[in-house]
Amino acid sequence: TYDLIVITDADGTYPVYEIPSLVDQAKTFDLVIGSRTGRHYMRHLLLSPMRTSFLLLTNFVTGEWINDPNSGLRVFKKADILPILDRLPTAFSFTTTQTLIMTLEHRFVRHHPIAYAERLGRSKIRPVRDALRVGQTLIEVMLHYNPLKLFLLLSLIMVLPGGAALLTAKSMGVTIAGMLMVCSGVLVFALGMASVTFNQKG
């Protein structure tokens, strides 16, 4: 019904008293995100390898440091969300995808620091299922905006362990395996460059 949309989680973690401030900032910015701070948020971030990996991957995708890409407290305009609605999931990674897309499209995004409180009740996050959803989101966004980064990521996944194996190899089998991984990584990146170049010329 209205032009401005506010969303927040209903688990007591987000300071809803910050909403008027975020709404006021939305007059200037296309997306205003309540960027979580405080010991409750940092504890979850530091103790969870999946959360830390997710944060690093999202910043790799955008090329910018984003402290909290999936915060559930945010304000945005209906006119900005409708054109990208078909690219947004309806479940867990909606907020993440929105942050990535609007950042990569160089929209004006404001990250407003907010206090993050202890959760009331149990979390509905399912680590394996939601990790797969986020992984799918990251791949789709990279393919749409910068496919070369996806090939670079796949290449690094093979080159880094392969290089480590070569440096620490104590047997011929480990050396061969390391060489195969490094060569495969280089080949994947080369194929990615060729694919991107071909599509640009096409």
Side-chain angles (χ1 to χ4, degrees), residues 43-99:
R43 181 183 64 189
H44 289 299
L45 185 63
L46 295 174
L47 294 180
S48 172
M50 188 178 76
R51 287 176 182 264
T52 304
S53 300
F54 160 74
L55 185 60
L56 293 174
L57 280 172
T58 54
N59 286 282
F60 171 77
V61 172
T62 60
E64 298 182 24
W65 181 254
I66 302 174
N67 291 324
D68 190 8
N70 66 321
S71 170
L73 175 58
R74 54 186 58 210
V75 182
F76 50 91
K77 300 175 184 68
K78 184 169 66 174
D80 292 328
I81 205 71
L82 288 178
I84 62 172
L85 199 59
D86 60 336
R87 283 183 273 158
L88 296 174
T90 57
F92 173 71
S93 55
F94 167 87
T95 52
T96 304
T97 311
Q98 182 194 28
T99 303

Side-chain angles (χ1 to χ4, degrees), residues 145-194:
Y145 290 95
N146 195 342
L148 191 58
K149 277 197 173 183
L150 177 60
F151 286 100
L152 176 60
L153 182 62
L154 294 174
S155 176
L156 289 175
I157 290 174
M158 290 180 277
V159 168
L160 292 179
L166 285 175
L167 292 173
T168 59
K170 295 182 179 180
S171 68
M172 182 59 67
V174 174
T175 301
I176 294 174
M179 291 178 64
L180 287 173
M181 291 183 71
V182 170
C183 292
S184 297
V186 172
L187 180 60
V188 166
F189 185 68
L191 289 172
M193 289 192 67

Side-chain angles (χ1 to χ4, degrees), residues 12-55:
T13 55
Y14 290 97
V16 293
Y17 56 81
E18 289 275 11
I19 289 176
S21 175
L22 270 61
V23 168
D24 187 58
Q25 294 175 67
K27 298 174 184 176
T28 307
F29 296 91
D30 299 314
L31 172 63
V32 183
I33 300 173
S35 183
R36 292 171 287 182
T37 63
R39 62 186 181 89
H40 293 293
Y41 176 63
M42 293 306 298
R43 181 183 64 189
H44 289 299
L45 185 63
L46 295 174
L47 294 180
S48 172
M50 188 178 76
R51 287 176 182 264
T52 304
S53 300
F54 160 74
L55 185 60

